[in-house]
Amino acid sequence: MDEPDRWRHMATAPKDGTRILVTIRPSEQGPAEVDLAYWSNGDQFGAEGWRASDSSPGRLVEYAEPELKCWMPMPSAKLNSSSMPSPWEGDDAQQLDGSGI
């Protein structure tokens, strides 16, 4: 796989406001899924942390660190729902960064 298509451990995710794809861990609310997110330094609408890119003032979607499994940079081509990658379903850190993909 090309470098931009690799899932990476969340510890290496950019915290500069860059929009990235994240795998959200499965929970009681549903299966794992992929979302477009960014790091917010906090503002009058919410605390510092990961936010879904479709958040808006008064309607923030925030993710706690443990909810997010891994990340990848945005693909360079125009993104649409049919080109969204599948959520990472493998084990955690042992197989991220390309070693088990």
Side-chain angles (χ1 to χ4, degrees):
M1 268 187 190
D2 295 331
E3 184 64 26
D5 294 333
R6 281 193 182 157
W7 287 107
R8 300 175 178 140
H9 194 278
M10 283 305 296
T12 65
K15 292 187 173 180
D16 61 2
T18 302
R19 281 163 167 63
I20 59 174
L21 295 175
V22 294
T23 292
I24 304 163
R25 295 178 186 276
S27 68
E28 299 85 32
Q29 287 78 34
E33 56 184 64
V34 172
D35 197 4
L36 184 60
Y38 67 97
W39 179 263
S40 170
N41 289 323
D43 52 29
Q44 71 268 26
F45 304 110
E48 178 180 81
W50 294 103
R51 293 183 185 174
S53 66
D54 57 355
S55 292
S56 60
R59 303 195 92 191
L60 291 181
V61 177
E62 298 177 305
Y63 296 114
E65 290 276 346
E67 289 181 274
L68 302 177
K69 191 171 195 175
C70 52
W71 74 280
M72 82 164 54
M74 287 291 298
S76 58
K78 186 176 179 182
L79 184 66
N80 61 44
S81 61
S82 66
S83 65
M84 189 72 96
S86 299
W88 172 246
E89 298 288 347
D91 292 331
D92 285 355
Q94 299 88 348
Q95 293 187 16
L96 293 176
D97 296 320
S99 62
I101 300 174

